[in-house]
Amino acid sequence: MGSKGDFHLHSTASDGVHTPAWVMETAAARGVRVLSLTDHDTTAGLAEAATAAKRLGLRLIPGMELSTDYQGADVHLLAYGFDPSNAELQAKLEWLRSGRLRRTEQIVAILGRLGAPIRIERVYEIAGEATVGRPHVARALVEAGHVASVQEAFDRFLHNGGPADVDRVKFGPRETIELVHAVGGVVFCAHPVFIGERYPEVLAQFAVWGLDGIETYYKHYDAETVEAHRALGERLGLMRSGGSDYHGLGNPDDREIGDFGFANERVDEFVAYLEHKGVNTGDWRTA
Ligand code: AMP
Ligand code: ZN
Ligand code: FE
Ligand code: FE
């Protein structure tokens, strides 16, 4: 049957282009049978996704992506199978999102000084219900005519370390792992290669702190990269997951939902792991 899985997907609940329902429908149409919606710092898209998943016969496992700061590096962690209705979890996510609002005000102030003024109200309108981020600022810059494209906005102003990039509040990886475990979930390290060359040492440290797995199958990874992740996971006793990190942006490295080599027994092994861990793999309520 060619049953696929995709455990790294974004929607309009954060910085994706498409609604949670659209993401579920497209996943189903592409042969995905089990998946997670992993928006940044929010579970707000999960209720809509769950309704669509039920209608489509998909198995949706609660998910989210959390950015953490480790010695100045921005390390992304994927949480699965937690209880989204937990009040303590939601309070912590709210704190992350309020940090994003303060950061957006700072970015807009800097852009004004750099001769590219935009209105913060417009950025919030563009973001709508979503967790606000740099992509929304980039779209406001395009609208105001300061740049020709979102990419130019990043290239000139907003790229990591760029003139209008401002750090946002984050938890450390250890507290993030502990938080997710406390609400019944497991934690996988997203796209470790983005950490840089020292990623094996970083993951070894995270494993000591309780990390559960590594995102081993990822949109543009070649066979060699997958094998390096698999071997590292084996050495550290970590499970394997896979995700497309689909945002709907159409960037050159992007893959379609479910189209990155994570299917059949690889998916079965991951889902069996979640079941073995006793995490929340289907029967759950949203906050
Ligand atoms: P934020 O969550 O506000 O830090 O924004 C992160 C998002 O900005 C990423 O998910 C990308 O969509 C986008 N982004 C970050 N750096 C770049 C870049 N150099 N070029 C294009 N998009 C970028
Ligand atoms: Zn994103
Ligand atoms: Fe990420
Ligand atoms: Fe992501």
Side-chain angles (χ1 to χ4, degrees):
M1 182 175 106
S3 175
K4 297 176 187 170
D6 198 329
F7 294 89
H8 192 160
L9 296 163
H10 295 276
S11 76
T12 46
S14 63
D15 56 356
V17 170
H18 302 291
T19 62
W22 186 98
V23 173
M24 295 300 116
E25 285 157 13
T26 304
R30 297 189 55 85
V32 171
R33 293 288 166 264
V34 53
L35 74 178
S36 290
L37 186 70
T38 55
D39 276 306
H40 300 276
D41 305 339
T42 185
T43 61
L46 299 188
E48 179 185 323
T51 304
K54 192 167 183 190
R55 173 167 53 82
L56 296 159
L58 293 173
R59 184 167 183 190
L60 180 75
I61 292 166
M64 61 183 169
E65 183 172 15
L66 298 168
S67 302
T68 69
D69 179 77
Y70 182 64
Q71 300 176 344
D74 184 22
V75 180
H76 294 185
L77 298 177
L78 292 160
Y80 301 115
F82 53 89
D83 172 12
S85 70
N86 182 279
E88 191 197 339
L89 171 68
Q90 289 302 335
K92 296 216 158 140
L93 295 179
E94 183 53 44
W95 181 80
L96 291 175
R97 292 193 296 267
S98 66
R100 281 176 170 273
L101 296 180
R102 287 195 301 281
R103 172 223 203 194
T104 305
E105 287 167 18
Q106 292 170 311
I107 290 177
V108 168
I110 293 169
L111 287 168
R113 291 201 290 279
L114 292 172
I118 52 173
R119 288 187 315 112
I120 187 116
E121 295 76 19
R122 187 56 198 142
V123 177
Y124 293 155
E125 277 167 27
I126 290 170
E129 300 284 297
T131 318
V132 67
R134 284 176 287 166
H136 307 113
V137 175
R139 282 160 58 189
L141 283 166
V142 175
E143 253 185 33
H146 298 305
V147 290
S149 66
V150 164
Q151 193 54 54
E152 189 188 339
F154 273 97
D155 292 346
R156 278 181 58 197
F157 299 113
L158 296 170
H159 60 270
N160 292 344
D165 178 35
V166 174
D167 282 345
R168 60 184 192 280
V169 293
K170 290 172 202 158
F171 295 118
R174 184 175 193 169
E175 36 181 348
T176 301
I177 292 166
E178 288 171 358
L179 168 66
V180 175
H181 285 170
V183 295
V186 293
V187 184
F188 281 61
C189 185
H191 42 63
V193 295
F194 293 168
I195 298 168
E197 276 178 12
R198 64 177 178 140
Y199 80 83
E201 304 153 47
V202 173
L203 291 186
Q205 174 61 70
F206 288 14
V208 173
W209 290 334
L211 183 75
D212 299 284
I214 301 178
E215 186 172 57
T216 299
Y217 303 89
Y218 185 69
K219 51 181 177 187
H220 58 281
Y221 281 1
D222 56 19
E224 198 183 330
T225 308
V226 169
E227 175 52 27
H229 283 50
R230 201 200 54 71
L232 179 64
E234 191 132 292
R235 182 158 69 76
L236 298 173
L238 300 175
M239 190 57 208
R240 297 155 287 283
S241 70
S244 63
D245 206 358
Y246 184 82
H247 285 74
L249 290 163
N251 291 326
D253 281 340
D254 288 357
R255 291 291 180 278
E256 294 303 322
I257 292 171
D259 186 23
F260 53 93
F262 195 57
N264 304 326
E265 59 279 3
R266 291 169 179 171
V267 176
D268 296 342
E269 176 191 58
F270 173 69
V271 173
Y273 172 84
L274 296 178
E275 286 171 345
H276 172 74
K277 281 272 173 177
V279 307
N280 186 356
T281 56
D283 180 26
W284 53 283
R285 295 173 292 120
T286 52

